[in-house]
Amino acid sequence: MTSGTRRIAVIEEGVWTPTITFATPGDLSVTYSEQLGKYIRIGNLVFFSGTAGYCWPAPAGADNLLAVYQDGGSSSWGAALLLDVSTITLTRIGPTQFEADDADNLVAVALDETHVLCCYGDAGNSNRLTATCLSIVDGVVTVGTPLQVAAAAVNGQSNPVALAALSATTALVAYRDGSAAGIGMVAVLTISGTTVSAGTPVQFHGTEVQWLALSRHTNFLAVVYFRDEAVDDDAKMYPVTIAASAPTVPVVGAAVTVFAGDSTGIQAAGFSATAGLAVLLKQGANYDLVAFPIEISSNVPAPGTALVIEASAQAAPSLVPIQGEQRALLAWQTGSAGNRVRGAVLWTDGDTAGKGEAVDVSEAPASYPRATAFDDEF
């Protein structure tokens, strides 16, 4: 992959086989079916694919990557696999189980170099929204006590939960309230060590939402994206701010339309207080993959000129910001070339977006890729 004058060489690819064990010793024996996953490493960039569901890679410092996933072979339990990337060869540690029931619609985000926050629907508790913080110290994953964030059931197959770290101790979670006709809700999470506490959820949209995404812009500003099921499946966004005087209370601004038309697979990345990027699939005769630069003025976001990344793409894309730069890494399943996974660097300049050279990162068909970037060198 090339971005400007940088060239990134493929270093390694391989497989991993999760074996799930409880984090707490004792008479907690488990059974599982063998699961097979595949990773492809390009520099400090790692793509995951395989049979595990809801796989979210989160960088944990410069040398560790925590892959948090739903283990489809062990009753869909929540599990975390630690990968040491300090050398050319990835070293696997674990996995560690953090949820004994089905961890549905799992999402995860790195808070700092030693903590990763997970949110999911706990099937053992009526699929209510739950948060757990994991810490990584000297190659050991410690599981915090799960917290029920809301009484709402998070259900649906189209990204009903989105999560963004605002700081090392604060995060924002947006979710589809399955107990209230699928309306959109948002809540502030506060983290101390591995202990999570939640503020009172606030409604951001009063009718059914799907395909939620969040972008972090400052410690006090985020943008929540979604598909409006009640209005032509349009892609829309709301700014969400947090006042220093009321740090657990999100304040929702006015809705802004990103794309007026049938949208799916929405992803977002925040670059700064004034810039971001949104990516979505335009449904129609084809699934065109399109990027929208987002400009923010006085905490009000506005979409810029659309950039078509690929016509007839497939599956939900994965978008992550590159630290310290106004660029993001995009991974998606192409609709051509045998449904391979592709990657490209995107950037914004005011109300326009640009794209670097796209490169196939898998030689065989793959779907629902996830990508993460460790630093500005990937």
Side-chain angles (χ1 to χ4, degrees), residues 236-316:
K236 295 182 178 179
M237 57 183 168
Y238 284 94
V240 180
T241 56
I242 300 172
S245 58
T248 63
V249 182
V251 178
V252 180
V256 177
T257 298
V258 179
F259 172 71
D262 200 347
S263 308
T264 188
I266 301 170
Q267 293 279 287
F271 298 140
S272 68
T274 60
L277 183 70
V279 172
L280 57 85
L281 289 166
K282 293 168 54 178
Q283 289 188 242
N286 299 310
Y287 283 81
D288 293 343
L289 180 60
V290 182
F292 292 86
I294 304 297
E295 290 189 292
I296 302 173
S297 176
S298 300
N299 293 340
V300 177
T305 304
L307 171 69
V308 176
I309 305 300
E310 180 177 301
S312 302
Q314 297 289 330

Side-chain angles (χ1 to χ4, degrees), residues 159-182:
N159 289 16
V161 184
L163 184 63
L166 301 181
S167 69
T169 58
T170 307
L172 197 66
V173 60
Y175 60 95
R176 177 186 183 274
D177 187 339
S179 305

